[in-house]
Amino acid sequence: CSPMGKAGLLRHYKEDWPFVEVKTGSELSTGRYNLAFLETPMLHWPDSLMTYLKEEQILFSSDGFGAHMASSEHFDDRLPAFPLPYARQLKKYYANILMPFGALITQLFAKIAQLGLTFKIIAPDHGLIYRRNIDWVLAAYQKWAAGIPEPKALVIYDTMWHSTELLAHEFLQGLTDAGVEAQLHHLRRTHPSDIITEVLDAGLLLFGSPTLNNQMFPTMGEFLTYLKGLAPKNKAAAAFGSFGWSGQAVGLITKELEAMKLKVVHEGFKVKYIPEAGELAAARALGEKLARENLK
Ligand SMILES: Cc1cc2nc3c(=O)[nH]c(=O)nc-3n(C[C@H](O)[C@H](O)[C@H](O)COP(=O)(O)O)c2cc1C
């Protein structure tokens, strides 16, 4: 294991087993096979380590290239549904586990190129073992790690009595008017991990919340806390919402977006109580404008 792995195992099991510590460049012979090691700290734990079985060109990739999907089949070429439903799982895993570490993944690819490693099998800790779709999974990771967004926008919102929802639908319509891919996500109808999967390659995020007791709606607070930890990059963002008298939600969301270093592209769109026709039209026009200005 890696030196950090040894420290972790000692902490958990309090047993001084005969550990063999390895680092990047270390090699170990089992007699018939030779193993080479590649430390990959923070992908996605500090002790992470990949192992390369030279003779068979197998990469045991730890948490890299994994997915949270169990199957009675172990190999990608044995699963009839591959790759479409699996592609979704691969993306979901990357978005929810590895999104903060894109720069490290890009460095890992550089290291693999530098060492001249080629793979016949990639065997992650989670999900299927790749035998046929190796180039496909490597290309997907390279694209996500580069963090270049698609022309795609999300409207993520919650509502008590549908006023914020009316605005959300107008923003969605405006985004569609601009010809970009647009998705609507109600925070209590789509699981946060599924919304994050869509956030991964979106270039524009619009957040809608009513004001409740001088705050944003609690589900929005929860989602933004989760999103902040995943350190999203290269995204434009703005907030909107309905309020009754003090209307803090939009400002509080905007502060969170700034704290995440997202590109805030509007000061916030607020409507008192139920939006009127002119306000609905303004939301639609703003959605179209933001999409045209911020998505390519
Ligand atoms: C329990 C409760 C607390 C509220 N607190 C505030 C508040 O502190 N400030 C404010 O501006 N509006 C407050 N409102 C009013 C709502 O923000 C307003 O009705 C808004 O239009 C609701 O939007 P929605 O239909 O999207 O839920 C509150 C409403 C409720 C039910």
Side-chain angles (χ1 to χ4, degrees):
C1 57
S2 65
M4 291 287 274
K6 179 180 172 184
L9 288 167
L10 282 171
R11 175 77 191 155
H12 274 84
Y13 297 103
K14 327 274 186 224
E15 296 272 358
D16 195 13
W17 293 319
F19 294 102
V20 178
E21 284 184 47
V22 291
K23 298 184 172 173
T24 296
S26 301
E27 295 201 6
L28 203 66
S29 174
T30 62
R32 185 167 165 200
Y33 293 117
N34 287 291
L35 304 170
F37 300 95
L38 194 58
E39 286 174 283
T40 51
M42 293 322 297
L43 293 179
H44 71 103
W45 275 33
D47 52 292
S48 294
L49 177 80
M50 295 191 181
T51 303
Y52 185 62
L53 198 163
K54 287 174 138 182
E55 289 75 9
E56 301 291 338
Q57 296 179 30
I58 300 174
L59 180 71
F60 297 97
S61 62
S62 172
D63 282 315
F65 314 113
H68 285 146
M69 189 175 140
S71 160
S72 55
E73 295 294 350
H74 294 155
F75 294 97
D76 59 346
D77 49 19
R78 299 288 301 274
L79 194 73
F82 203 91
L84 269 185
Y86 196 78
R88 175 81 194 159
Q89 291 304 321
L90 185 78
K91 186 176 178 186
K92 188 171 183 177
Y93 185 97
Y94 185 99
N96 285 274
I97 307 281
L98 294 173
M99 198 197 295
F101 308 118
L104 293 177
I105 290 166
T106 301
Q107 283 171 26
L108 172 67
F109 277 108
K111 190 80 193 164
I112 287 170
Q114 183 199 338
L115 296 172
L117 302 184
T118 51
F119 310 122
K120 285 190 180 148
I121 291 180
I122 295 181
D125 284 354
H126 310 280
L128 291 175
I129 298 167
Y130 305 93
R131 282 198 297 213
R132 185 188 291 161
N133 299 283
I134 286 173
D135 290 345
W136 173 83
V137 70
L138 293 176
Y141 260 55
Q142 267 165 331
K143 175 175 174 282
W144 294 328
I148 297 161
E150 301 284 340
K152 167 178 161 185
L154 309 185
V155 181
I156 301 163
Y157 76 101
D158 208 331
T159 187
M160 296 183 283
W161 297 328
H162 306 293
S163 287
T164 304
E165 185 161 63
L166 288 172
L167 296 174
H169 284 139
E170 293 302 320
F171 276 109
L172 184 79
Q173 194 57 57
L175 297 166
T176 309
D177 293 342
V180 302
E181 181 188 345
Q183 298 181 4
L184 187 68
H185 293 288
H186 185 299
L187 281 166
R188 281 172 290 148
R189 296 202 195 112
T190 315
H191 192 272
S193 64
D194 288 312
I195 303 178
I196 292 293
T197 307
E198 297 302 330
V199 164
L200 178 64
D201 54 7
L204 174 63
L205 309 174
L206 302 179
F207 296 91
S209 166
T211 297
L212 174 72
N213 301 329
N214 302 323
Q215 304 294 322
M216 67 181 84
F217 203 66
T219 51
M220 182 58 77
E222 180 187 350
F223 184 77
L224 292 177
T225 300
Y226 185 44
L227 181 65
K228 194 179 194 174
L230 293 169
K233 290 178 191 69
N234 301 333
K235 295 176 198 315
F240 65 93
S242 170
F243 69 101
W245 46 95
S246 54
Q248 293 94 331
V250 167
L252 290 169
I253 295 172
T254 304
K255 267 200 191 131
E256 284 301 308
L257 303 179
E258 285 165 356
M260 283 183 232
K261 299 194 172 64
L262 296 183
K263 186 180 167 205
V264 175
V265 288
H266 190 265
E267 69 276 14
F269 187 90
K270 288 159 77 163
V271 168
K272 192 162 184 154
Y273 292 119
I274 302 168
E276 294 171 358
E279 291 161 329
L280 292 172
R284 180 170 175 167
L286 181 59
E288 180 177 357
K289 179 172 176 283
L290 294 180
R292 289 198 191 283
E293 287 175 355
N294 295 290
L295 295 175
K296 285 184 195 83

